[in-house]
Amino acid sequence: MSENNKHHISYGTYILVWAALIAFTSITVTIAGVSLGRYTLFIALSIAAIKSALVINIFMHIKFDEPIFKVFLGISGATLFIIFLLTFFDYIYR
Amino acid sequence: MADAVAVKNFYNQSTNKHTGILSWLLTKDHKRIGLMYMVAILTFFVVGMLIGILMRLELIAPGRTIMSAQTYNSLFTLHGVIMIFLFIIPGLPAIFGNFFLPIQIGAEDVAFPRLNLLSWYVYIVGAILVIVSLFLPGGPIDTGWTFYIPYSVRSSTNISMALFAAFVLGFSSILTGINFITTVHRLRAPGMGFFKMPLFVWATYATAWIQVIATPVIAITILLVIIERAFGVGIFDPALGGDPILFQHLFWIYSHPAVYIMILPAMGVVSEIIPTFSRRTIFGYKQIAYSSLAIAFIGYLVWAHHMFSSGMSDTARWIFSLLTFIVALPSGVKIFNWVATMYKGSIDPKPPFLWVMNFIFLFSIGGLTGLVLGSLATDIHLTDTYFVVAHFHYVMFGGTGTIFFAALHYWFPKMFGKMYNMKFARIAVVLYFIGFNMLYFPKFIMGYMGMPRRYYDYLPQFTTLQEISTIGSWILVGTIFFIFGYLFHALRKGKKATSNPWGGVTLEWHIPSPPPLENFEKIPTITHEPYDFSQLKEMKDE
């Protein structure tokens, strides 16, 4: 694993990603006060997913790591997605 | 090769400079950590069992017998919390997984030995928090182990502390899971591909994935309940605009996969014992390995079958009912493959094998009654009755509990280097079977007749069945103490065990009993399939 971590990310990229995370958080807070009806949850979850992807890929260096870790994360992410999906069968049709 | 070097073993070799108790408390050896788990987990098992027998004694006759209703409420909650969080969830992976997983893949230890020791300490801290919560002002929790909202927000008992204890215990589980996944990926001996791993390793590996993915969900849920209790935020409490069904979703998103954390390692043990005592390679190795992964995955998709009468949507109810039936398929694959392994085998009915036969019978009853509860129409009738209690105990105690004893009898000679009395062990299997069925089978009938679970009192028509159940509890508990008695006697005065008393072929049977500190003189190169019994002759020649 150590060989794969030789990839260096510039400070500029880190700051850019950090700014993007702050921006997305601001958007989340802002749209919480706007009535978007049935799309509110979808938009909030989409923004959360984008933020997670940025943190996982850049800050956690998964983008530059061995494929097996991407598989692990993929399985975890897919499981989480299915859990959300199944929960919505209750909330949407209740 | 084994017996000639049997003098040195992990009991008299330490990973640190200390001697005595300190050499254990600071050990990094996976076998010692497994045994430390064993002492702690069995202690809590005995406590949970004694609480259970007190509850049964209270129920021997209608009305008050030996305790008040509030005490009964606290005892059934404690029985559940102790048995679930402190015994069944960690039992097989933490004790036998720790001890045997590295050996079975030909490794010297787990990938992160220090993290392994930390997991044990975290478990102990969590357990101490549970105990402390009993004695602080407010008193022991009385919500049932499911902590359902809104009562768990409003109860004045020590809910927050008990919840925090479960939160801490969850970390122990996650750390163990991470350790096992990494160990399986990184430390397999040369030549041991994934499909040459013993099936106990497969099962423990699948379990580790559930531990890592599912446990954080309960951790977050627990924190939300504590925040709700402390600040009245209104996440779950309907009086504050919250959604109590959301709590049930989050609770069962973890707690149903947790059922598979409990049962999958047990299924792995069965897949070890049956080939050894049938002298025959396992039937359908790959199917059993894949079915472990399938159970681990599908186990995530069925949680809401605990909530059919909670008020969730009809669409969700039929979808979860359908998915519940699907999870029976990989379990069925395992049962059929185990039976097929025995077919035309040279069966040697030693005690570990008899325990497994016990398991197949009891677990099948538990599994099939699960289908009754998975059907929407019958579930409405049986929800929150003794039928659920009986089903749950047949699956968890008849399944995992029985296999705990099977594993103990199978690996006892390897772990301690001593043999126990075979005659006593056979008697124990029979008594256990009688006691178990007397204790739990009447609950199916009572549940069908409408006896609700968690009730302190009952109508006179249930008296006879309640009496049978209580007498069964005496036989079962007596048998368990009998087992501890002859195993303890074997520890002190038992005959010395050879390196391979049962004629097994997986790697633990290639090394001395008890194993040396780093397991192998030299890391082995794997050339055989895991259950290739043609190795036995070579092993004897060595």
Side-chain angles (χ1 to χ4, degrees):
Chain A
M1 191 164 81
S2 54
E3 293 87 19
N4 294 291
N5 279 344
K6 282 180 183 165
H7 191 101
H8 289 291
I9 302 170
S10 66
Y11 286 118
T13 310
Y14 280 132
I15 289 167
L16 209 62
V17 171
W18 175 72
L21 290 171
I22 297 286
F24 278 122
T25 306
S26 308
I27 296 169
T28 307
V29 173
T30 309
I31 63 165
V34 182
S35 178
L36 295 169
R38 63 205 293 193
Y39 300 107
T40 308
L41 196 58
F42 174 75
I43 292 170
L45 282 175
S46 301
I47 293 172
I50 295 167
K51 283 163 69 184
S52 306
L54 285 172
V55 172
I56 290 166
N57 279 300
I58 307 299
F59 290 147
M60 293 171 70
H61 289 218
I62 291 296
K63 191 178 174 188
F64 313 106
D65 227 317
E66 288 178 34
I68 186 74
F69 295 113
K70 291 173 188 168
V71 172
F72 285 178
L73 264 170
I75 292 168
S76 310
T79 311
L80 187 65
F81 176 76
I82 293 168
I83 287 172
F84 272 114
L85 190 72
L86 287 172
T87 309
F88 282 124
F89 280 118
D90 175 21
Y91 281 88
I92 292 172
Y93 294 101
R94 200 188 288 173
Chain B
M1 71 179 176
D3 293 324
V5 290
V7 183
K8 289 251 176 189
N9 59 53
F10 75 96
Y11 290 105
N12 53 33
Q13 292 174 297
S14 175
T15 54
N16 52 53
K17 59 182 185 203
H18 303 284
T19 54
I21 190 79
L22 261 188
S23 77
W24 282 79
L25 292 176
L26 299 174
T27 188
K28 296 192 291 289
D29 179 20
H30 66 101
K31 299 179 289 297
R32 284 192 174 200
I33 293 170
L35 289 183
M36 282 155 62
Y37 267 116
M38 179 182 263
V39 171
I41 287 170
L42 282 179
T43 305
F44 289 113
F45 171 66
V46 169
V47 173
M49 188 171 68
L50 292 176
I51 291 173
I53 204 167
L54 286 175
M55 286 156 57
R56 282 291 353 142
L57 197 57
E58 167 55 40
L59 293 167
I60 196 168
R64 181 183 172 125
T65 313
I66 57 163
M67 65 181 79
S68 68
Q70 179 61 26
T71 308
Y72 183 82
N73 288 349
S74 292
L75 285 192
F76 77 65
T77 303
L78 275 176
H79 175 76
V81 169
I82 290 174
M83 287 303 205
I84 301 275
F85 292 109
L86 297 176
F87 170 60
I88 298 190
I89 288 180
L92 286 162
I95 299 173
F96 300 106
N98 252 321
F99 201 109
F100 288 103
L101 183 137
I103 300 178
Q104 287 196 324
I105 61 170
E108 289 178 356
D109 208 315
V110 290
F112 309 118
R114 283 189 180 84
L115 192 69
N116 203 15
L117 182 62
L118 178 67
S119 309
W120 184 80
Y121 278 104
V122 172
Y123 170 85
I124 295 295
V125 169
I128 289 170
L129 286 172
V130 172
I131 295 164
V132 169
S133 77
L134 307 180
F135 299 104
L136 287 181
I141 47 171
D142 59 351
T143 59
W145 76 278
T146 46
F147 306 112
Y148 269 15
I149 300 277
Y151 185 63
S152 62
V153 173
R154 292 173 193 165
S155 171
S156 59
T157 55
N158 280 323
I159 307 283
S160 296
M161 183 154 221
L163 280 169
F164 187 67
F167 178 80
V168 172
L169 288 167
F171 272 99
S172 171
S173 196
I174 293 170
L175 296 180
T176 302
I178 290 172
N179 221 337
F180 285 173
I181 291 171
T182 315
T183 305
V184 167
H185 278 272
R186 297 290 185 195
L187 296 183
R188 279 172 288 126
M192 180 168 279
F194 259 77
F195 290 107
K196 279 193 179 170
M197 294 195 310
L199 288 162
F200 177 67
V201 177
W202 265 104
T204 312
Y205 174 73
T207 307
W209 271 107
I210 308 177
Q211 288 173 300
V212 171
I213 296 181
T215 314
V217 180
I218 194 74
I220 292 162
T221 311
I222 282 170
L223 285 184
L224 290 176
V225 177
I226 293 173
I227 290 168
E228 182 95 338
R229 280 179 65 86
F231 304 108
V233 181
I235 304 162
F236 300 126
D237 189 350
L240 299 169
D243 184 350
I245 301 179
L246 176 63
F247 171 81
Q248 294 192 27
H249 274 298
L250 290 171
F251 179 83
W252 289 112
I253 283 171
Y254 164 73
S255 296
H256 193 77
V259 170
Y260 299 101
I261 294 178
M262 305 173 208
I263 199 66
L264 267 173
M267 291 171 157
V269 174
V270 175
S271 302
E272 295 299 313
I273 292 177
I274 287 184
T276 299
F277 293 93
S278 303
R279 291 288 180 277
R280 198 165 172 272
T281 190
I282 193 93
F283 182 89
Y285 170 90
K286 279 194 178 177
Q287 284 70 26
I288 294 183
Y290 283 133
S291 67
S292 290
L293 295 181
I295 288 172
F297 179 69
I298 302 170
Y300 280 104
L301 316 181
V302 301
W303 76 85
H305 67 212
H306 296 272
M307 302 163 52
F308 285 157
S309 61
S310 69
M312 71 174 178
S313 79
D314 285 344
T315 310
R317 294 203 301 169
W318 73 256
I319 287 172
F320 279 103
S321 180
L322 177 72
L323 290 168
T324 300
F325 280 88
I326 293 174
V327 83
L329 296 175
S331 306
V333 166
K334 284 186 190 290
I335 299 261
F336 283 120
N337 282 350
W338 292 329
V339 175
T341 302
M342 288 182 263
Y343 179 65
K344 289 189 177 175
S346 174
I347 290 174
D348 183 9
K350 292 259 172 33
F353 183 82
L354 297 176
W355 278 106
V356 167
M357 293 301 100
N358 228 339
F359 160 85
I360 290 182
F361 185 84
L362 300 175
F363 183 72
S364 297
I365 292 179
L368 291 170
T369 50
L371 296 181
V372 176
L373 292 169
S375 295
L376 282 173
T378 42
D379 183 75
I380 299 302
H381 176 69
L382 296 167
T383 287
D384 278 341
T385 68
Y386 266 29
F387 194 93
V388 177
V389 180
H391 157 72
F392 182 79
H393 282 84
Y394 266 86
V395 174
M396 291 293 91
F397 194 12
T400 310
T402 304
I403 288 305
F404 183 86
F405 290 111
L408 197 57
H409 283 79
Y410 183 54
W411 280 316
F412 185 91
K414 182 57 61 185
M415 295 169 94
F416 301 104
K418 296 287 179 68
M419 292 304 288
Y420 48 84
N421 186 313
M422 293 291 147
K423 192 175 164 192
F424 285 171
R426 286 195 174 93
I427 293 169
V429 175
V430 176
L431 289 176
Y432 179 94
F433 184 81
I434 295 168
F436 187 97
N437 286 297
M438 271 181 76
L439 169 53
Y440 297 115
F441 201 82
K443 288 178 194 278
F444 279 126
I445 304 166
M446 284 190 272
Y448 191 75
M449 289 163 68
M451 172 75 210
R453 69 190 295 199
R454 294 175 171 170
Y455 271 38
Y456 167 72
D457 202 358
Y458 52 84
L459 296 171
Q461 63 259 37
F462 296 113
T463 307
T464 307
L465 289 166
Q466 292 279 16
E467 281 171 356
I468 294 171
S469 189
T470 300
I471 293 167
S473 74
W474 299 339
I475 298 173
L476 187 63
V477 171
T479 306
I480 289 169
F481 280 121
F482 173 56
I483 293 167
F484 289 154
Y486 69 72
L487 289 182
F488 190 67
H489 181 264
L491 270 183
R492 298 184 63 217
K493 297 187 175 170
K495 276 194 282 186
K496 194 178 175 322
T498 61
S499 61
N500 191 7
W502 312 125
V505 288
T506 41
L507 283 177
E508 73 271 31
W509 305 113
H510 292 244
I511 60 173
S513 306
L517 182 60
E518 289 179 338
N519 304 333
F520 303 94
E521 283 176 72
K522 197 176 122 217
I523 294 297
T525 300
I526 310 304
T527 50
H528 292 276
E529 300 298 319
Y531 305 103
D532 176 3
F533 281 86
S534 67
Q535 294 173 77
L536 264 182
K537 191 172 175 311
E538 292 169 31
M539 288 166 73
K540 277 176 190 157
D541 292 343
E542 285 168 3

